[in-house]
Amino acid sequence: MSMSLADARYFLNRMIGLLRRSLASLRTRGWQATWQRIRVHTRTLPAPRSAALYLPEALPFAPFSVPHSVEPRVSIVIPVYNHVGHTLACLRALAAHPPQVACEILVVDDGSIDQTVQWMPQVQGLRYEVRASNGGFIDACNDGVARSRGTYVVLLNNDTVPQPGWLDALLETFSTVPGAGLVGAQLLYPDGRLQESGGVLFQDGSAWSYGRFESPEDPRYSALRDVDYCSGAAVMLPRALWDQLGGFDTRYRPAYYEDTDLAFAVRASGHRVLVQPASRVVHDEGTSNGTDTQSGVKAYQVRNRGVFAAKWAAVLAQHPAVGSVPSPALLHRHQRQVLILDEVVPQPDRDSGSLRQYNLIRMLIEAGAHVVFVPTRREHAGAPTEALQRLGVEVWYAPFLEGIGPWLREHGPRFAVVMMVRHHVASECLPLLRSYAPAARRVFDTVDLHYLRERRGAELAGDAGLLRNAQRTRTRELAVMAASDVTVLVSDAERTQLQVDAPDVHVELISNLHEVAGGGAPWDQRRDLVFVGGFRHPPNVDAMHWFIGEVFARIRAQLPDIRFHCIGADVPQALHDLAAGQPGVLIHGFVPVVTGYMDEVRIAVAPLRFGAGVKGKVNLSMAHGQPVVATTCAVEGMHLRDGEDVLVADDADAFADGVVRLYRDEALWQRLSAAGLRNVADHFSLDAARETVRRVFLE
């Protein structure tokens, strides 16, 4: 495909932006760190790799045991009729990788005449239930569920091999997705190709297995999604809902379309039907009844399509016409589709900007929007990417994302809103959006005013070259704002600044977004000091050099047993060297879960001497009832008052005195703890931002 003018401009802008940021990085980070950042941006991306499929070896039968609980939360119902080899493979997979949740496994024998009747009683922990006579798949499932004891029930074909973690991923969906009623697994062929990631129904009742024969890692099929139906080969639903709906409709006896009918009934009852690709199950399609719809039980598939179409005619009238090709645009046609463009996917356990973005995405999904995330670096980030997919975010990456321009050319028209994160991403992508998504509202998320942060850092360093760079950043950042429909800021202080620098820009405020966690441990059970912040952010590096080098010794002179916990990824060696000569300083580096430090350490410090935006480290501590001693820069635009919500000091002696005073004064500590919790609830919680999010993205 030839390169358009918009594509060429994107490539040129991207290369120029990378060169500019590299030159600035040389001044602030040095050549080694800069070279590493250049390599990240220019390296060839490997194809994403999923774990190899688990397929148990076909060994001669010998007794073994399967997971079993006398008080199961989940009942796995496996209807069988002969094909004992498949049943053994299924049970061996369940035994090899037992679920975390308490479960029971029922094999419901619908009249087998092979070795099923000899071998199943020898499987320890298995509930082997034999039906009085053969009645077919529907009757076997209804009978099996009636005998189950779990709060949730899973229907699992015997010709499946569940993959590790499959059951827990299904169950987790019910606790994380409001209104979930039926959740199905992603089905794979034994060779690893995708068999189905949910199903699509057309107006005549015919079906399309979405993603059939494609890669299961394709972004179109890898995210949690509402679907028309899920194959009954591996589905979970609450037992109470199954009973309410009466189980499988017996008009479809002996089999076929009963699972599709159940999905429609679940949705008609006000619940959602979803596919969870994090749950992977290998399915040897056609084992029981073959694939020939002209004869045998399989012929009921043709007959039952007519039965189904007549029963659900009014609903099916709203479905796509026969001949439509399912695509993300078609499947999400009833939702407002929002595209987010950023360099990488958010990692909310590493920085406050990522946490804000992650919580914004959660809010959009909860409001009914379909969110698509495209990282311009085209990287699959592993666990952070999978976390978004579990939320229901359609995340694109190489090799399926060949380039931003070609992707927007294909997908751009489906978006109502496009949010560009950070000015260099926006300046690169704006020409493409004008060409390929002309109807979309263009939202520019500054994260913070980069030119303001750069200018303050240059002034602190007394570096005229950095000051000139900051002025160039200002020019580019304001140009992006002028070309965008809405500019999103994080603080009132920045909004005030823009009233002077760019009064005509349409500005909205969406600050840091935090859950209010609560008070944590009381004052007398807390010890020490803590700082949390990633060290790819120059203001954090400077803050720690100042605090460890000039402030902490003053504190320790008055509190000789106190320790300081420094937490954050990518700690530079110079900071390790500085800390090595300071008793009581503990450099922890990256800590995946910092909750313990928020709930058990007495005071957080935020000694930032330059920066911009709102400081997530301050919000995070206050959301846990942990008081903060901070500089004026660190609390800028955060609605905080010195002595009432926070203690503020800007020189080493005053900062140390504030820490010692707060550390010793329980009454002051209690007052600041309560005030911090109120501040987060009033200004930095998800509820505080809902109206602005609705106005910017959903109207």
Side-chain angles (χ1 to χ4, degrees), residues 20-362:
R20 285 170 174 163
R21 296 196 302 280
S22 298
L23 292 174
S25 179
L26 278 172
R27 286 180 172 270
T28 58
R29 297 183 175 89
W31 74 268
Q32 290 178 313
T34 299
W35 175 241
Q36 174 62 25
R37 290 167 68 87
I38 292 173
R39 289 178 60 198
V40 165
H41 281 275
T42 58
R43 69 188 178 196
T44 301
L45 298 177
R49 295 183 179 182
S50 59
L53 294 179
Y54 172 76
L55 298 171
E57 191 175 351
L59 299 171
F61 177 77
F64 61 99
S65 62
V66 294
H68 171 68
S69 173
V70 295
E71 295 183 350
R73 191 172 182 210
V74 177
S75 296
I76 303 172
V77 176
I78 306 174
V80 305
Y81 177 64
N82 296 326
H83 301 287
V84 69
H86 284 286
T87 305
L88 279 178
C90 180
L91 294 176
R92 283 171 172 160
L94 293 171
H97 302 284
Q100 296 179 8
V101 64
C103 64
E104 64 173 356
I105 303 172
L106 293 80
V107 166
V108 182
D109 191 342
D110 195 33
S112 297
I113 55 175
D114 64 359
Q115 291 167 305
T116 299
V117 294
Q118 286 83 37
W119 291 348
M120 291 302 104
Q122 300 181 59
V123 179
Q124 299 173 13
L126 180 69
R127 287 185 58 190
Y128 178 52
E129 306 284 342
V130 181
R131 303 192 68 236
S133 60
N134 178 273
F137 179 80
I138 290 175
D139 285 349
C141 288
N142 287 344
D143 191 2
V145 175
R147 303 185 194 203
S148 68
R149 300 175 299 198
T151 305
Y152 291 87
V153 62
V154 171
L155 297 173
L156 185 68
N157 279 15
N158 71 323
D159 56 355
T160 61
V161 178
Q163 299 301 294
W166 74 286
L167 186 65
D168 300 301
L170 291 178
L171 183 61
E172 180 188 23
T173 309
F174 287 93
S175 62
T176 58
V177 180
L182 184 148
V183 182
Q186 186 187 72
L187 300 181
L188 307 174
Y189 287 108
D191 64 4
R193 291 179 301 164
L194 185 59
Q195 186 179 118
E196 174 193 298
S197 190
V200 179
L201 265 293
F202 299 110
Q203 291 176 355
D204 67 346
S206 60
W208 179 298
S209 295
Y210 193 50
R212 192 178 188 89
F213 302 129
E214 305 254 18
S215 167
E217 297 178 79
D218 189 309
R220 292 173 293 174
Y221 317 122
S222 300
L224 177 78
R225 194 181 75 257
D226 287 273
V227 295
D228 293 339
Y229 77 97
C230 291
S231 167
V235 295
M236 175 186 283
L237 71 165
R239 170 67 189 275
L241 181 58
W242 170 276
D243 291 342
Q244 174 190 327
L245 300 176
F248 281 148
D249 190 334
T250 55
R251 77 182 73 186
Y252 298 102
R253 282 176 174 150
Y256 294 108
Y257 269 87
E258 73 289 330
D259 48 6
T260 313
D261 178 88
L262 178 65
F264 273 53
V266 166
R267 198 160 31 247
S269 72
H271 296 81
R272 296 172 67 180
V273 178
L274 304 121
V275 64
Q276 176 54 275
S279 174
R280 303 164 73 224
V281 172
V282 174
H283 181 216
D284 194 2
E285 186 180 41
T287 292
S288 299
N289 302 310
T291 57
D292 182 6
T293 58
Q294 302 302 312
S295 62
V297 175
K298 190 70 173 177
Y300 283 94
Q301 183 173 336
V302 177
R303 190 209 73 170
N304 286 349
R305 189 181 87 183
V307 175
F308 172 82
K311 179 179 178 180
W312 297 100
V315 178
L316 287 171
Q318 306 302 315
H319 281 239
V322 178
S324 303
V325 177
S327 67
L330 180 70
L331 299 186
H332 298 285
R333 64 194 181 281
H334 298 308
Q335 294 175 273
R336 191 167 180 83
Q337 299 197 50
V338 177
L339 170 63
I340 299 176
L341 293 164
D342 198 355
E343 281 191 331
V344 295
V345 299
Q347 300 185 48
D349 59 351
R350 287 184 173 263
D351 63 86
S352 62
S354 287
L355 179 61
R356 169 178 173 268
Q357 191 177 89
Y358 184 84
N359 281 333
L360 172 60
I361 289 170
R362 285 177 52 203

Side-chain angles (χ1 to χ4, degrees), residues 641-656:
R641 299 154 298 177
D642 182 22
E644 298 184 38
D645 309 291
V646 65
L647 295 187
V648 179
D650 291 313
D651 66 75
D653 285 329
F655 202 100

Side-chain angles (χ1 to χ4, degrees), residues 376-388:
T376 57
R377 289 189 195 172
R378 302 168 50 235
E379 290 178 323
H380 188 296
T385 295
E386 292 165 0
L388 288 184

Side-chain angles (χ1 to χ4, degrees), residues 366-378:
E366 289 169 6
H370 176 59
V371 179
V372 180
F373 197 105
V374 174
T376 57
R377 289 189 195 172
R378 302 168 50 235

